[in-house]
Amino acid sequence: MNAGPPFVTDDPEPVEFQHWEVYLASLQMKTADGWSGTAPHLEVNYGVVPDVQLHFIAPLAYNSPSSGGSHFGYGDTELGIKYRFVAETDTVPQVGIFPLLEVPSGNGHEGLGTEQLQLYLPVWLQKSWGEKDNQWTTYGGGGYWITPGHGNEDWGFIGWLLQRQFPNHLTVGAEIFHETP
């Protein structure tokens, strides 16, 4: 795999046809209001047809505000479909979309979910060069989150990264991204 965790920016490359990716991971976020995140979440991706991947995240979420009690339980479920519609060539980057749907399955009153269906509409590009065991890859793009509901605002994301694949399965990368308020 040329791209992926732990970066926030995504890539247009779907899982290969009839192959699986399964991740067990955790995310944490510290704000002035306390801590929140997943502990852990399960991510499953499957190459359902060539150039198309199905995506699913099942999170165990937590919310530990600075004042008040902590909460732990199932969070919002994430569903998505990644579709690469331009294949990479020597001169053209690959291009794809990866719309995500955040399904309100977590308890919003306990800070474990949003209680609103949310939609993310991104476009991603990627270009690689060099030999397979000594390869450079750059990818990025951005999208727009549609987040209905009282007190919610739609917001945008843009990000780009550069990474280097070394022999023996070591990847080193640097990423820059921005989220609008």
Side-chain angles (χ1 to χ4, degrees), residues 29-86:
M29 183 171 61
K30 170 74 170 123
T31 66
D33 297 330
W35 286 89
S36 64
T38 63
H41 67 262
L42 174 70
E43 177 178 346
V44 178
N45 299 308
Y46 179 68
V48 66
V49 296
D51 295 319
V52 177
Q53 146 190 323
L54 298 179
H55 168 80
F56 170 76
I57 292 183
L60 290 177
Y62 71 90
N63 180 31
S64 184
S66 299
S67 61
S70 297
H71 302 283
F72 181 80
Y74 192 78
D76 287 348
T77 303
E78 182 175 280
L79 305 171
I81 298 175
K82 186 182 281 191
Y83 171 57
R84 177 177 49 200
F85 56 89
V86 175

Side-chain angles (χ1 to χ4, degrees), residues 2-4 7-10 137-141 159-163 172-176:
N2 292 328
F7 302 113
V8 175
T9 302
D10 213 330
T137 301
T138 187
Y139 60 87
W160 206 269
L161 71 87
L162 176 66
Q163 68 184 30
V172 177
E175 172 184 36
I176 187 168

